[in-house]
């Protein structure tokens, strides 16, 4: 029986060694298996159902919140006083994004157009689209700056045209009209006799060109040939570089289309992407790590140099003519209209901009933009892109609508586009990319621990069995030897006594 138990113990030791071996092997092979699965599932391919659906339809909730700067003192502004504004909103719109005209190419690229549409969400808004607001009239004040180089008589004629079409320096319209367009006699006249002068051919609205439109024809890498290039833009509307800016570096189309990024990010990674709305490539930098509902993430934010002018940050010289740091001049891609983009409330901008306008109070929590990325896959978990639209306005001689307006970069509105993974998508994401890798990690260390425990216990049991056998064998030998020795001694004594009794006369006499 002891020999059988010893063999069983040896068998367990062998099993333990094999368990430790496979557990150790799994610590090296496991990450490779996970990385291989990440590569397979992040390639843009219709066979990758989950990731392809996320890329094509963006099924997570996405919203655009718009905040208007309602002008409180339009008459005083025309008299040269400092503008006073009051933030109104948010007016929230559900954004639907869907890719169409998807065409895969043999060189591991795919082309598509992305269509977007907006639907007002009253329950999420502070106010309604029927709210009436006052903001600067871009058609008048913007045109005045654009036409400043013309002769005074020509400017006077333009001023008369404004009066003819009932266009004043400020607009008082509903939110819906300001967003999606309103009827304007001047706009109708310009579209009829000077087509192409305005960005839209229909009603004039600040977001009229956004709704039910596409962002252009993108061609991006699928990642089939090199996963490090997945989602990176090859061309936009057939262009591999832009022509809006003054230097080749500023005209480069860098990074992705702004929805996903290549996997396997580190803290040294950045998030470059091309934005057709900003007419340039942008790049975010790592700020910190964190978690969202158990999923690890890296937060990327805009560096202070993003909208810095050429004086403060020389690589941005190509985006000039510049004004103060914190303003991006997008006039070159907006029909030369004096429009500037910034962070909301001039966050991270030259403080002097705040001195020109009453009613602004920037802070990072409310006005900084960020993207939270799952570093292993490059999939955004939580996104908040916040930008402000500003109009440069000033007094222009000959155009009486400008009155005595002081030179100022006037905030008109800011908007936030935000979205986050939630619901079934989040659960699937959490299971595949958090739970399963964790189970594999626990399994590998569990196998090593179990194998070592099995080896130790089996070795101890075998040692005890072996020791017990030795003790039993020794005891048996001693017992047998002792028994033989004790039996031979008694016989000799009896014989000796009997012999002595025969020879002793006294004993014999007593017996008699």
């Amino acid at each position: 029986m002891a020999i059988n138990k010893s063999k069983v113990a040896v068998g367990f030791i062998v099993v333990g060694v094999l368990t430790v071996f496979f557990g150790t092997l799994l610590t090296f092979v496991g990450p490779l298996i996970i990385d291989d699965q990440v590569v397979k599932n992040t390639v843009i391919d219709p066979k990758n159902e989950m990731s392809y659906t996320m890329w094509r339809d963006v099924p997570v909730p996405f919203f655009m919140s718009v905040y208007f700067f309602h002008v409180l003192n339009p008459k005083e502004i025309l008299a040269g006083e400092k503008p006073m504004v009051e933030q109104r909103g948010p007016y929230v719109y559900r954004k639907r994004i869907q890719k169409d005209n998807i065409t895969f190419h043999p060189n591991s690229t795919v082309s598509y157009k992305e269509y977007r549409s907006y639907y007002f969400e009253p329950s999420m808004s502070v106010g309604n689209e029927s709210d009436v607001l006052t903001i600067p009239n871009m058609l008048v004040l913007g045109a005045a700056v654009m036409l400043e180089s013309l002769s005074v008589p020509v400017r006077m004629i333009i001023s008369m045209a404004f009066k003819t079409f009932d266009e004043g320096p400020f607009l008082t319209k509903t939110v819906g009209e300001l967003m999606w367009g309103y009827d304007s006699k001047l706009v109708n006249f310009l579209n009829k006799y000077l087509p192409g002068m305005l960005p839209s051919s229909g009603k004039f609205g600040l977001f009229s060109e956004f709704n039910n439109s596409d962002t252009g024809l993108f061609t991006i890498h699928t990642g089939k040939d090199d996963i490090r290039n997945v989602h990176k833009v090859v061309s936009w509307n057939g262009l591999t570089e832009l022509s809006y800016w003054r230097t080749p570096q500023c005209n480069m189309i860098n990074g992705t289309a702004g929805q996903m990024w290549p996997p396997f990010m580190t803290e040294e990674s950045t998030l470059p992407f091309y934005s057709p709305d900003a007419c340039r490539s942008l790049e975010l930098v790592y700020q910190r790590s964190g978690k969202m509902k158990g999923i690890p993430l890296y937060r990327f934010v805009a560096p202070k140099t993003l909208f810095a002018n050429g004086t403060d940050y020389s690589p941005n010289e190509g985006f000039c003519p510049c004004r103060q740091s914190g303003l991006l001049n997008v006039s070159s891609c907006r029909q030369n209209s004096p429009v500037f983009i910034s962070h909301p409330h001039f966050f991270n901008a030259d403080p002097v901009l705040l001195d020109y306008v009453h009613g602004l109070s920037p802070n990072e929590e409310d006005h900084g933009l960020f993207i939270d990325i799952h570093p292993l896959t490059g999939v955004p978990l939580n996104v908040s892109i916040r930008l402000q639209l500003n109009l440069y306005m000033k007094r222009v001689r000959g155009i009486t609508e400008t009155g005595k307006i002081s030179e100022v970069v006037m905030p008109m509105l800011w908007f936030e586009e935000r979205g986050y993974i939630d619901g079934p998508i989040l659960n699937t994401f959490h299971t595949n990319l958090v739970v399963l890798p964790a189970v594999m990690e626990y399994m590998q260390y569990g196998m090593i621990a179990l194998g070592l425990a099995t080896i130790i216990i089996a070795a101890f049991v075998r040692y005890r069995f072996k020791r017990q056998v030795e003790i039993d064998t020794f005891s048996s030998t001693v017992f047998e030897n002792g028994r033989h020795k004790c039996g031979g001694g008694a016989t000799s004594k009896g014989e000796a006594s009997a012999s002595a009794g025969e020879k002793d006369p006294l004993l014999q006499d007593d017996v008699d």
Side-chain angles (χ1 to χ4, degrees), residues 11 151 157 188 247 314 376 381 440 469 488 501 509-510:
S151 64
I157 294 173
N188 294 334
T247 63
S314 56
L376 182 64
L381 303 175
M440 184 173 289
V469 169
D509 290 341
D510 289 338

Side-chain angles (χ1 to χ4, degrees), residues 134-433:
T134 298
I135 65 170
N137 188 345
M138 290 181 63
L139 289 174
V140 174
L141 299 180
V145 175
M146 294 167 61
L147 303 174
E148 187 180 15
S149 60
L150 300 179
S151 64
V152 173
V154 173
R155 280 182 257 159
M156 292 177 67
I157 294 173
I158 292 170
S159 181
M160 291 175 61
F162 288 148
K163 292 178 177 62
T164 301
F165 292 110
D166 294 325
E167 293 287 348
F170 291 92
L171 286 173
T172 299
K173 299 285 185 183
T174 66
V175 169
E177 289 174 320
L178 294 174
M179 286 288 297
W180 312 118
Y182 58 91
D183 288 318
S184 167
K185 296 177 182 178
L186 177 60
V187 171
N188 294 334
F189 175 82
L190 292 175
N191 284 332
K192 183 175 181 179
Y193 295 102
L194 296 171
M197 183 176 179
L198 298 176
S200 67
S201 57
K203 295 182 178 182
F204 183 79
L206 297 174
F207 284 85
S208 58
E209 60 180 303
F210 284 63
N211 202 14
N212 299 317
S213 65
D214 65 84
T215 56
L217 179 65
F218 275 94
T219 300
I220 64 174
H221 288 282
T222 62
K224 281 188 177 181
D225 56 343
D226 188 345
I227 198 61
R228 293 171 298 181
N229 291 329
V230 66
H231 299 294
K232 289 185 178 180
V233 178
V234 177
S235 66
W236 174 73
N237 283 340
L239 301 173
T240 56
E241 61 180 20
L242 306 172
S243 58
Y244 303 130
W245 314 109
R246 296 167 54 188
T247 63
Q249 181 180 355
C250 292
N251 277 319
M252 293 175 65
I253 297 177
N254 296 323
T256 72
Q259 291 179 346
M260 294 185 185
W261 282 265
F264 311 123
M265 289 185 171
T266 67
E267 294 180 4
E268 286 71 41
S269 300
T270 61
L271 289 190
F273 62 97
Y274 172 66
S275 170
D277 298 326
C279 307
R280 58 165 286 192
S281 295
L282 305 171
E283 188 171 37
L284 308 187
V285 296
Y286 173 86
Q287 183 191 55
R288 63 174 176 82
S289 60
K291 287 188 176 182
M292 188 184 88
K293 298 184 179 179
I295 302 175
L297 61 83
Y298 285 171
R299 172 159 290 188
F300 291 84
V301 298
K304 291 185 177 180
T305 56
L306 185 65
F307 296 142
N309 61 20
T311 302
D312 291 346
Y313 185 62
S314 56
N316 283 354
E317 182 66 36
F319 295 120
C320 293
C322 299
R323 297 192 63 79
Q324 294 88 351
S325 271
L327 298 172
L328 173 66
N329 187 345
V330 292
S331 59
S332 57
C333 65
R334 290 290 183 269
Q335 285 77 37
N336 293 319
S337 178
V339 175
F340 290 81
I341 289 176
S342 70
H343 295 300
H345 288 247
F346 296 130
F347 172 69
N348 269 350
D350 190 326
V352 73
L353 293 169
L354 297 175
D355 296 334
Y356 295 152
V357 182
H358 284 300
L360 304 179
S361 55
N363 65 82
E364 182 175 4
E365 182 178 355
D366 295 327
H367 307 130
L369 64 82
F370 67 86
I371 298 178
D372 291 337
I373 294 284
H374 183 245
L376 182 64
T377 60
V379 174
L381 303 175
N382 190 17
V383 177
S384 178
I385 301 297
R386 299 160 174 163
L387 294 173
Q388 180 170 297
L389 184 66
N390 310 280
L391 179 67
Y392 172 59
M393 59 188 201
K394 60 186 290 190
R395 176 178 180 266
V396 177
R397 289 182 58 201
I399 300 181
T400 58
E401 283 74 14
T402 61
K404 297 179 181 179
I405 293 177
S406 299
E407 185 176 350
V408 62
V409 178
M410 184 74 175
M412 299 182 66
L413 62 86
W414 70 272
F415 62 93
E416 174 190 27
E417 290 201 332
R418 71 184 190 278
Y420 56 91
I421 290 182
D422 201 2
I425 292 291
L426 178 65
N427 295 335
T428 303
F429 199 87
H430 186 269
T431 300
N432 293 341
L433 298 172

Side-chain angles (χ1 to χ4, degrees), residues 481-492:
N481 290 338
R483 187 172 63 81
H484 288 302
K485 287 180 180 179
C486 289
T491 303
S492 300

